Amino acid sequence: MAIETNTVVEHYTRTDLMERIRSALVRAGHNPDKPTVAMLSELDHLHGGGFKTTAAQVALAGIPRGCHVLDAGCGIGGPSRYLAQSHGCTVEAIDITPDYVAVARRLNDMTGLGDSIEVTVGSVTALPYDDARFDVVLCQNVTMNVADKPAMFSEAFRVLKPGGLYTFSHLAEGPNGPPVYPLPWALSPEASFLETPQRIFEILSAVGFVDIEDRAAQAQSLPGGGPQRGTIGAAPAMGDDMPERTGNSARSIREGRLVAMMVVARRPS
């Protein structure tokens, strides 16, 4: 577990991360000293679909306004800020990469959301929260870096209130051979931990979740709106080679090597 954790932290750590973000904002014509949530959404949703996919996941999962959310694997905090500002949620967030947590806290303060979002360094397989604490656990493209998915899903189940929602987007193993590397979450197969969609559903069910659905097809049919991945993208936080890595991900999906999923499940009442 320590080796896996160290590999993940090393993969996501970026030197001078805040300066990289500031420089990217300047190049896009923004004032980096007065960032807004909308401005940051051009770069702080670190999965392939960017802000649009986050908004779709929140809508399709039916996350209630004003609820208590755990952003599990929060990156630099884009989804947390979206939920806090646009949905009035109280958010606690956790990520295993200390640099991401430090920058998330700073951006939360700069956007006036520091009192609405609490960010902690930690693992999704050992959450430092009490039982039955959250209405919703939200997770985006984290499972691919987690070998012990039963532990990850069990922890989400544990911290949810009865009737609470667990929603995660991720990429699963496809039927047509291994994906093309490097990928956004791993430069080589040794750092990637994929399961088939069937196995994901089996683990969720074994943990105790019910009403398990994959709503990825519905997400694709939603109309656009809001900032799109484009002018900036995830490169400031994820690395300058992100166009190659996201290209490999898209190719692997087209070729059936990866399967995009947007899962919604519920802890029984």
Side-chain angles (χ1 to χ4, degrees):
M1 180 62 184
I3 294 174
E4 175 191 331
T5 298
N6 292 338
T7 300
V8 172
V9 172
E10 181 179 353
H11 177 76
Y12 290 106
T13 297
R14 294 287 171 270
T15 303
D16 299 326
L17 177 54
M18 193 66 198
E19 287 308 310
R20 289 171 59 87
I21 291 171
R22 289 177 58 86
S23 296
L25 291 172
V26 170
R27 289 194 298 272
H30 299 307
N31 181 352
D33 295 319
K34 296 182 179 180
T36 64
V37 172
M39 180 195 305
L40 292 172
S41 68
E42 297 181 32
L43 61 82
D44 62 5
H45 297 257
L46 303 184
H47 45 83
F51 170 81
K52 181 180 178 181
T53 297
T54 297
Q57 185 174 353
V58 170
L60 289 172
I63 294 179
R65 300 186 68 86
C67 69
H68 191 187
V69 179
L70 172 63
D71 186 353
C74 65
I76 60 173
S80 297
R81 286 185 286 276
Y82 172 65
L83 284 165
Q85 184 184 69
S86 298
H87 286 68
C89 295
T90 300
V91 183
E92 295 185 62
I94 191 167
D95 199 276
I96 203 167
T97 306
D99 283 5
Y100 277 4
V101 169
V103 166
R105 289 171 177 162
R106 186 169 175 185
L107 294 175
N108 292 344
D109 289 340
M110 293 177 75
T111 53
L113 294 170
D115 291 338
S116 299
I117 307 169
E118 182 177 342
V119 194
T120 300
V121 176
S123 171
V124 296
T125 62
L127 295 172
Y129 306 109
D130 293 337
D131 296 354
R133 180 173 178 83
F134 299 100
D135 301 299
V136 176
V137 175
L138 171 82
C139 186
Q140 297 182 315
N141 283 21
V142 175
T143 69
M144 301 96 75
N145 284 129
V146 179
D148 192 350
K149 289 176 180 55
M152 177 181 178
F153 296 164
S154 294
E155 280 292 271
F157 188 93
R158 179 183 65 79
V159 301
L160 277 170
K161 298 175 183 177
L165 291 172
Y166 183 31
T167 177
F168 62 92
S169 58
H170 79 150
L171 291 163
E173 178 184 326
N176 296 338
V180 180
Y181 291 87
L183 290 162
W185 64 91
L187 302 183
S188 65
E190 292 75 21
S192 182
F193 306 98
L194 302 176
E195 292 284 3
T196 65
Q198 179 180 352
R199 180 59 180 150
I200 291 294
F201 273 58
E202 289 173 350
I203 299 171
L204 287 167
S205 181
V207 164
F209 284 105
V210 297
D211 301 335
I212 306 166
E213 296 183 59
D214 178 10
R215 299 182 181 174
Q218 294 170 262
Q220 293 299 319
S221 65
L222 288 177
Q228 307 293 310
R229 172 76 77 231
T231 54
I232 301 179
M238 296 283 286
D240 294 335
D241 60 345
M242 273 298 285
E244 176 191 5
R245 289 152 59 191
T246 54
N248 285 342
S249 180
R251 173 188 166 187
S252 295
I253 292 171
R254 289 195 306 270
E255 295 179 355
R257 301 167 182 269
L258 293 172
V259 177
M261 300 181 71
M262 186 177 288
V263 176
V264 180
R266 182 173 59 83
R267 175 172 174 167
S269 299

